[in-house]
Amino acid sequence: MNKIINKNVFILLIIILSIIPVFSLLNPGLPITHDGQDHVARIANFYQNLTEGNIIPRWAGNLNWGYGHPILEFLYPLPSYFASVFHFLGFSLVDSVKIVFGLGMISSFFFMYLWLSQFVSRFSALFGAVLYTYAPYRFVELYVRGDIGEHLAFTFIPLVLFYIHRIYKRKRFIDAIFGSFSLAFLILSHNGISLMFMPFIIAYCFYLIYLSKYNKYLILNTLFLILIGFGISAFFWIPGLLEGKYTLRNIVTAGGYIGRFVNFKDLLYGPWNYGGSGVFTVQFGLFQWIAIIASPFVFLKYKKNKEKLYLLFLLLMYLVLAIFLMLPISNSIWERIILLQNFQFPWRFLAIIVFSTSVLGALLIDAVPNKFKAKLTILSIIIILAISSSYWKPKGYMQKPESFYTSIYESTTDTGESAPIWSVRFMEKRPEANLEIVDGDARVENIERRSTYHKYKVVVNKKTIFRENTVYFPGWEMKANGKQVDVDFHTQHYNGVMKFTLDEGHYTVEAKYVETKLRFFADVISFASLASISGGFFLYYLIKIKTKK
């Protein structure tokens, strides 16, 4: 059967299997999910920033009932950049988001196959890619939760590993360059998932360095990949990490994991549904459990193959840790490690299960005698398709006009963790005016209003206190006739909006959101990293030309 399925048929099979899960996205409207609508609203604000010249959007001016919100600084930006490209090309915001979801599912299949095919047979790699794409949790992400960031991150996990493995095999600097972009894209796709997988990525590097007998070229190139990957994404993760102290993040997420642990029996099986946390299925999947149970057999098969044996050991260690952290028995660990609490939900570690069992499944099929590989793979894929077919669709679709997402949005689109610590988690009504008179006698005329720039003409007849109904966050500056104005954002009952005072006179008042020193420093690191990539490309091709001569 292996011979019957020629190369072209095999490629067609890969294409078909990769697109089956996303057919439901072709239906009109936005799939009804937990977060889907909010993601569209965030991306609408992100795109507006881009059209206004803010190439690194950090402030969502229309969110939070029009008071604005710093969520874009802390929200993984890559899905928004991708969706913005499609929206610029003429697709609606909803369709742009659906395209990103669809491409994320398809590309994750291809990249997992691509990485696995470096060290297992093509049918083994195909089976691993199917497990990776058709795992129940992947459909929870796509059609139940609608988490575009976590969903897209699954694309870049195997791609990073692919380039690390290519460096190990080919020892070419170009792979380190592409690998650094892959790592940056992973970090920019979802900070939580990238943090979750970073220990594995680093361990994978050490594992290959060990196999290569500490080859200096491999060490230098993997080090370059990791440092430049972090450098490119620095504009996001440095401010997100260090300016989080100005938000309610640690307050909102503290203790959020309590009551979110899963029962072991639910990891074995849970009925499919579209409910929230604690209701939707957290099952691993039938073949995922088979891959785990059969791992001792795989160990015996590869006891003389160091590369596969060490990878198997690393996967099982990571898998056991993930299972432990999802169960109530790990409560004391969650209590002590504050960083762990930022994951919020123990079931988020299902991402590790999806990845680990996919690779275990590929190694299992690879351990099967060659004459059975193709038949067993095809039969298993047919069963997987039959079992998961009811997961391939959302519970419904919503139809809302584009203006619903682009105008004032009556939500922060998160649980309040990104709200400034001097404000409240959620505003409750729209402001009466953009620039409101609190006390005094003045006349206000709105001149210009963009996401990060507000301009007014103000005539003050006697000393007046104003309230600029934008929530303050470091970076906001208020000027009157070009001179800095002191802003008070701690006034009780004002929920963190900017208050200032002007004496009698005529003024041009401007509120502008600028980069703080920290953000500017992070931007410089990202720019310098991209510049080093350009220099690396130039050096690579210069050496290549000289070698040919």
Side-chain angles (χ1 to χ4, degrees):
M1 188 171 181
N2 199 348
K3 294 180 180 179
I4 295 174
I5 301 180
N6 60 37
K7 185 177 181 180
N8 292 333
V9 174
F10 194 81
I11 292 173
L12 181 62
L13 180 62
I14 289 176
I15 294 172
I16 292 172
L17 288 172
S18 69
I19 63 176
I20 284 175
V22 300
F23 274 134
S24 293
L25 295 176
L26 297 176
N27 291 311
L30 180 69
I32 298 173
T33 59
H34 301 168
D35 300 334
Q37 176 179 296
D38 286 341
H39 280 302
V40 180
R42 294 168 181 171
I43 290 169
N45 279 264
F46 193 95
Y47 183 79
Q48 183 178 339
N49 269 272
L50 292 176
T51 61
E52 294 169 355
N54 303 321
I55 61 173
I56 303 178
R58 301 192 191 275
W59 185 262
N62 288 333
L63 296 188
N64 201 19
W65 297 78
Y67 287 93
H69 205 269
I71 187 172
L72 298 184
E73 176 170 332
F74 305 99
L75 180 73
Y76 33 84
L78 192 65
S80 298
Y81 277 117
F82 284 169
S84 295
V85 170
F86 291 111
H87 189 47
F88 176 78
L89 293 175
F91 293 94
S92 70
L93 285 167
V94 167
D95 286 342
S96 298
V97 169
K98 288 164 66 178
I99 290 171
V100 174
F101 268 115
L103 290 178
M105 188 66 108
I106 293 169
S107 58
S108 68
F109 186 103
F110 278 102
F111 292 149
M112 177 55 88
Y113 174 82
L114 192 64
W115 173 53
L116 292 174
S117 64
Q118 302 300 298
F119 52 88
V120 297
S121 68
R122 62 173 184 159
F123 277 101
S124 305
L126 177 66
F127 182 67
V130 169
L131 285 183
Y132 191 61
T133 308
Y134 287 80
Y137 185 62
R138 295 297 307 279
F139 293 104
V140 169
E141 291 283 76
L142 179 59
Y143 291 129
V144 179
R145 296 188 63 222
D147 192 324
I148 195 170
E150 286 191 37
H151 178 76
L152 190 61
F154 279 101
T155 295
F156 299 106
I157 297 165
L159 191 61
V160 173
L161 299 174
F162 167 75
Y163 280 113
I164 293 172
H165 193 272
R166 291 268 279 194
I167 296 171
Y168 165 65
K169 286 293 186 181
R170 303 199 312 172
K171 298 178 176 61
R172 293 175 61 183
F173 181 62
I174 194 71
D175 294 322
I177 292 175
F178 287 127
S180 64
F181 275 109
S182 301
L183 179 59
F185 286 172
L186 172 59
I187 296 170
L188 298 174
S189 291
H190 196 278
N191 36 340
I193 295 298
S194 60
L195 179 62
M196 190 182 292
F197 277 91
M198 203 55 64
F200 183 89
I201 291 171
I202 293 173
Y204 188 69
C205 290
F206 279 114
Y207 142 76
L208 292 179
I209 289 170
Y210 170 74
L211 289 178
S212 71
K213 298 180 180 179
Y214 303 96
N215 181 281
K216 291 182 180 179
Y217 191 90
L218 177 60
I219 294 172
L220 291 174
N221 276 276
T222 51
L223 185 62
F224 176 89
L225 184 155
I226 291 172
L227 290 178
I228 299 300
F230 273 93
I232 293 172
S233 57
F235 74 89
F236 165 62
W237 68 264
I238 289 180
L241 178 67
L242 299 181
E243 292 193 341
K245 64 184 179 181
Y246 301 125
T247 71
L248 295 170
R249 181 174 62 194
N250 290 336
I251 296 173
V252 171
T253 58
Y257 67 93
I258 299 173
R260 306 295 179 90
F261 291 106
V262 300
N263 295 316
F264 186 79
K265 66 178 180 64
D266 294 327
L267 301 178
L268 298 172
Y269 175 75
W272 182 259
N273 64 80
Y274 296 92
S277 179
V279 178
F280 61 71
T281 184
V282 292
Q283 62 177 306
F284 289 4
L286 174 62
F287 283 88
Q288 282 79 1
W289 275 112
I290 291 174
I292 294 172
I293 294 169
S295 57
F297 162 74
V298 182
F299 252 118
L300 293 175
K301 175 69 176 179
Y302 293 125
K303 61 183 179 181
K304 294 183 180 180
N305 187 321
K306 282 187 177 182
E307 182 175 345
K308 292 178 180 176
L309 189 65
Y310 292 162
L311 177 60
L312 183 62
F313 180 73
L314 182 60
L315 287 166
L316 287 173
M317 285 186 61
Y318 221 53
L319 185 145
V320 169
L321 177 62
I323 293 175
F324 172 74
L325 291 173
M326 286 191 287
L327 300 176
I329 194 174
S330 66
N331 182 64
S332 60
I333 305 297
W334 285 81
E335 284 180 350
R336 289 173 172 79
I337 303 176
I338 301 300
L339 179 63
L340 198 59
Q341 295 183 23
N342 288 330
F343 287 110
Q344 293 182 288
F345 314 114
W347 45 256
R348 265 206 168 114
F349 284 89
L350 281 168
I352 290 176
I353 304 301
V354 171
F355 170 79
S356 300
T357 54
S358 301
V359 186
L360 287 176
L363 292 171
L364 174 61
I365 293 294
D366 202 54
V368 172
N370 288 334
K371 61 181 180 180
F372 300 121
K373 270 189 176 67
K375 291 180 181 178
L376 182 59
T377 300
I378 298 302
L379 178 61
S380 299
I381 289 174
I382 291 172
I383 296 173
I384 290 171
L385 293 178
I387 292 174
S388 65
S389 59
S390 60
Y391 308 162
W392 305 346
K393 59 184 183 300
K395 66 178 179 180
Y397 301 86
M398 64 175 69
Q399 301 279 356
K400 292 188 177 180
E402 195 95 336
S403 59
F404 174 80
Y405 303 104
T406 58
S407 58
I408 301 299
Y409 195 71
E410 297 176 352
S411 169
T412 62
T413 75
D414 69 1
T415 57
E417 66 267 24
S418 301
I421 200 167
W422 44 79
S423 184
V424 291
R425 290 176 68 177
F426 316 104
M427 292 297 193
E428 297 179 349
K429 63 179 181 179
R430 298 189 184 194
E432 294 182 6
N434 294 326
L435 185 59
E436 191 175 339
I437 298 171
V438 176
D439 183 40
D441 183 8
R443 186 172 70 254
V444 176
E445 179 185 357
N446 290 287
I447 302 298
E448 186 177 358
R449 190 170 186 84
R450 302 198 303 268
S451 299
T452 57
Y453 180 74
H454 310 156
K455 185 177 181 180
Y456 312 92
K457 287 291 185 183
V458 178
V459 177
V460 180
N461 298 317
K462 69 174 185 179
K463 189 173 184 177
T464 301
I465 300 173
F466 294 91
R467 174 177 168 174
E468 214 286 354
N469 282 312
T470 298
V471 172
Y472 177 79
F473 199 73
W476 275 111
E477 296 179 346
M478 189 72 66
K479 292 183 177 180
N481 292 338
K483 294 182 180 179
Q484 197 85 23
V485 176
D486 291 331
V487 172
D488 176 19
F489 51 91
H490 291 293
T491 304
Q492 193 174 12
H493 307 307
Y494 280 19
N495 295 332
V497 301
M498 297 185 286
K499 191 184 77 168
F500 63 97
T501 302
L502 292 177
D503 293 323
E504 182 180 337
H506 291 68
Y507 298 92
T508 297
V509 175
E510 298 168 290
K512 190 175 183 180
Y513 194 61
V514 300
E515 295 285 70
T516 60
K517 290 180 180 179
L518 177 67
R519 292 174 210 155
F520 179 75
F521 172 70
D523 296 345
V524 170
I525 292 177
S526 293
F527 178 79
S529 299
L530 288 171
S532 69
I533 288 282
S534 301
F537 266 118
F538 177 76
L539 183 63
Y540 172 78
Y541 284 108
L542 187 64
I543 294 173
K544 196 172 182 181
I545 292 170
K546 286 184 177 181
T547 304
K548 286 182 178 180
K549 289 181 179 181

